[in-house]
Amino acid sequence: MTVPSPSSSSKGEEVQRLFDTVPGYYDRMNRLMTLGRHQAWCRDVARRAQVPAGGALLDIATGTGVIALEAARRYPDAAVHGVDFSEGMLAGARTKPGADAVTWQFADANALPFDDGTFDAVTHGYLLRNVEDAERVLAEQLRVLRPGGRLVILETCPPRGLLRRPVTLGVKVVVPLLGQLVARDRTSYTYLEESTLGFMSPEQVGEILRRLGFVSVAWDRRFLGTHMIVTAQKP
């Protein structure tokens, strides 16, 4: 999700308030910033979740519900839950075609309102860069997963290698400019540029996952190294 940078003293409350302002242009901006690849990545996240017949999937920070809706289409006999702590984003998700197949719910990623071992898969897109304590949030996801359950993460990450400098320059210029032209919200998309370039690498996310007890940790980089899909499993 893409919001203006909040103050460190009240990050959760500020992020929540700011998310409520973006649903109207959120999907369009994601399409533009990824040159139309965002939907395909969300389909890939749903595919990698590998929900068994009659199973259950939790999509955290569901936003406008792109991943949750893809999961509901792929696993029509599964129970799909989409949770977010922005009522504005949830309201947008509930209006989309197929929304009746998903259970939408207000929830905080730091303290999920579900019992231990409830879900066969947990997914999320662009969650970790917007929380204060990524390790705590990932530990909650481990808790609600069943043994053998899968975690699939879509996130931004800083580019590397020979393309690092030109891609970094492009992100710094293009993302805030698109925010100004399309959303009339340069501040929010300046924050996206900063969080994309300043977030953890796949290796760092993988280290946290292994430390928490996840196994089979793997990742792919996408879009000139600025995005990653990370998978892991609960033993």
Side-chain angles (χ1 to χ4, degrees):
M1 295 180 183
T2 54
V3 295
S5 181
S7 65
S8 58
S9 61
S10 58
K11 182 171 184 176
E13 292 85 354
E14 187 69 4
V15 167
Q16 184 180 42
R17 181 181 67 80
L18 293 168
F19 273 144
D20 284 335
T21 71
V22 303
Y25 54 78
Y26 182 73
D27 286 339
R28 191 191 329 171
M29 284 297 298
N30 276 343
R31 285 193 298 271
L32 288 171
M33 290 185 300
T34 65
L35 300 180
R37 298 303 300 158
H38 177 69
Q39 191 84 24
W41 296 339
C42 291
R43 283 195 298 271
D44 196 12
V45 168
R47 178 185 63 81
R48 294 178 188 223
Q50 298 180 13
V51 182
L57 176 144
L58 174 65
D59 184 45
I60 308 171
T62 195
T64 56
V66 180
I67 293 174
L69 291 167
E70 290 290 350
R73 284 189 281 270
R74 175 170 281 271
Y75 310 107
D77 62 345
V80 177
H81 294 253
V83 302
D84 205 291
F85 77 163
S86 166
E87 291 286 7
M89 297 297 270
L90 287 170
R94 291 187 181 106
T95 66
K96 289 190 169 183
D100 290 347
V102 178
T103 300
W104 307 103
Q105 182 176 344
F106 177 91
D108 185 345
N110 292 283
L112 296 169
F114 302 104
D115 293 335
D116 295 0
T118 300
F119 298 98
D120 297 285
V122 170
T123 60
H124 49 87
Y126 312 129
L127 165 67
L128 295 180
R129 70 165 183 250
N130 291 309
V131 300
E132 289 184 282
D133 189 343
E135 188 159 345
R136 173 182 172 180
V137 167
L138 290 168
E140 268 292 272
Q141 295 167 29
L142 181 67
R143 180 185 67 79
V144 302
L145 276 170
R146 294 170 181 157
R150 292 177 61 81
L151 172 65
V152 190
I153 300 167
L154 171 63
E155 262 296 351
T156 58
C157 58
R160 65 178 182 178
L162 295 176
L163 291 175
R164 183 177 63 84
R165 288 184 181 274
V167 171
T168 296
L169 179 61
V171 171
K172 284 180 174 291
V173 172
V174 172
V175 172
L177 180 61
L178 278 175
Q180 177 64 37
L181 295 176
V182 177
R184 300 293 188 267
D185 190 355
R186 188 179 186 91
T187 302
S188 295
Y189 288 88
T190 297
Y191 167 63
L192 173 60
E193 166 253 309
E194 293 169 351
S195 63
T196 295
L197 298 175
F199 187 62
M200 292 181 284
S201 68
E203 291 82 2
Q204 291 171 311
V205 174
E207 181 181 348
I208 294 174
L209 292 170
R210 293 189 187 97
R211 185 163 63 244
L212 289 171
F214 282 97
V215 297
S216 302
V217 178
W219 57 81
D220 295 327
R221 285 179 176 262
R222 303 291 177 89
F223 208 55
L224 300 178
T226 61
H227 288 69
M228 58 179 162
I229 296 179
V230 182
T231 57
Q233 190 168 19
K234 181 173 180 175

